[in-house]
Amino acid sequence: DAGITQSPRHKVTETGTPVTLRCHQTENHRYMYWYRQDPGHGLRLIHYSYGVKDTDKGEVSDGYSVSRSKTEDFLLTLESATSSQTSVYFCAIGGDQPQHFGDGTRLSIL
Amino acid sequence: QKEVEQNSGPLSVPEGAIASLNCTYSDRGSQSFFWYRQYSGKSPELIMFIYSNGDKEDGRFTAQLNKASQYVSLLIRDSQPSDSATYLCAVRKGGKLIFGQGTELSVKP
């Protein structure tokens, strides 16, 4: 096990509600990443972090925010969920490229 | 044009054959290239990376890079049914990895 845990694993919620996904690592990696995966699009980077309180945007950051107050935790927040954010979300840890991925969170927004 | 392009497949090969997976990229300045494998319903796992022109071998896997043609490939020798998965190509652009949409490989017994 790479020491990376995502929670929750599944979530169903309604449009307009806030949603927070958590990624927890026990590997002390500097870099943490959030991706979404949709059919026909592969993996798309939402946000990433290169240290505590250091984050940057990815390809598809609109509608998402992140926070990293501790090395081990990286939170992804959908401030007001929309149906277009229905997806599978993966957290990853590593050096300057993602090396290990979490098991994913399947998020459905109705 | 997508920054990283892969044929979505499915690519079907018989057991024991060589599977060839291809990827092209648009940014000529890209320096680092990665292959991930993803089984259905599972998370991706890093299997190969290559930085220099030429071939890099690791067991049954060989990554090939041709920067002049902006082309990177993954060869799987002696393909096994357990190799059936989606293979994702990724290219570093700045501080970020850009992924292709993946190629589904099916190895038939």
Side-chain angles (χ1 to χ4, degrees):
Chain A
D1 255 350
I4 177 171
T5 305
Q6 290 185 234
S7 59
R9 294 293 316 281
H10 299 89
K11 187 172 182 68
V12 180
T13 191
E14 294 184 347
T15 300
T17 60
V19 178
T20 296
L21 308 183
R22 181 182 183 235
C23 180
H24 178 79
Q25 62 150 331
T26 58
E27 304 294 316
N28 203 37
H29 278 291
R30 179 182 174 196
Y31 283 79
M32 299 184 75
Y33 306 81
W34 277 109
Y35 288 88
R36 61 177 289 175
Q37 187 170 38
D38 306 286
H41 289 280
L43 284 164
R44 292 183 290 175
L45 181 65
I46 305 171
H47 283 279
Y48 70 102
S49 169
Y50 46 96
V52 173
K53 291 187 168 47
D54 291 324
T55 64
D56 202 356
K57 295 180 180 180
E59 306 165 72
V60 290
S61 59
D62 287 349
Y64 301 94
S65 62
V66 290
S67 66
R68 191 167 177 199
S69 58
K70 298 185 291 185
T71 298
E72 56 266 35
D73 289 325
F74 192 32
L75 304 180
L76 177 71
T77 298
L78 291 65
E79 302 288 349
S80 178
T82 68
S83 59
S84 64
Q85 294 175 311
T86 291
S87 187
V88 178
Y89 291 85
F90 286 103
C91 176
I93 59 175
D96 53 2
Q97 73 275 339
Q99 292 176 305
H100 303 290
F101 284 78
D103 290 335
T105 294
R106 187 171 296 274
L107 178 63
S108 296
I109 300 163
L110 307 177
Chain B
Q1 181 189 7
K2 291 183 179 179
E3 294 191 72
V4 181
E5 295 212 50
Q6 296 180 255
N7 188 327
S8 60
L11 172 66
S12 183
V13 300
E15 183 175 356
I18 295 175
S20 178
L21 303 156
N22 304 315
C23 175
T24 59
Y25 59 95
S26 61
D27 185 355
R28 188 170 288 279
S30 299
Q31 296 294 321
S32 311
F33 308 86
F34 305 85
W35 284 100
Y36 292 79
R37 178 177 61 198
Q38 186 175 24
Y39 292 112
S40 180
K42 301 295 185 181
S43 56
E45 56 179 321
L46 179 64
I47 55 172
M48 291 283 290
F49 58 88
I50 186 166
Y51 302 146
S52 304
N53 269 333
D55 295 358
K56 179 181 179 181
E57 188 174 317
D58 183 1
R60 295 187 297 112
F61 298 97
T62 299
Q64 298 177 317
L65 175 60
N66 184 325
K67 289 187 178 180
S69 300
Q70 295 175 239
Y71 177 95
V72 58
S73 64
L74 180 70
L75 302 178
I76 306 175
R77 289 182 301 281
D78 189 23
S79 296
Q80 300 297 310
S82 59
D83 295 325
S84 296
T86 296
Y87 290 80
L88 301 164
C89 170
V91 176
R92 178 180 304 288
K93 181 178 180 180
K96 307 162 192 175
L97 278 195
I98 307 298
F99 283 82
Q101 67 179 36
T103 298
E104 182 184 350
L105 172 66
S106 177
V107 181
K108 303 296 186 183

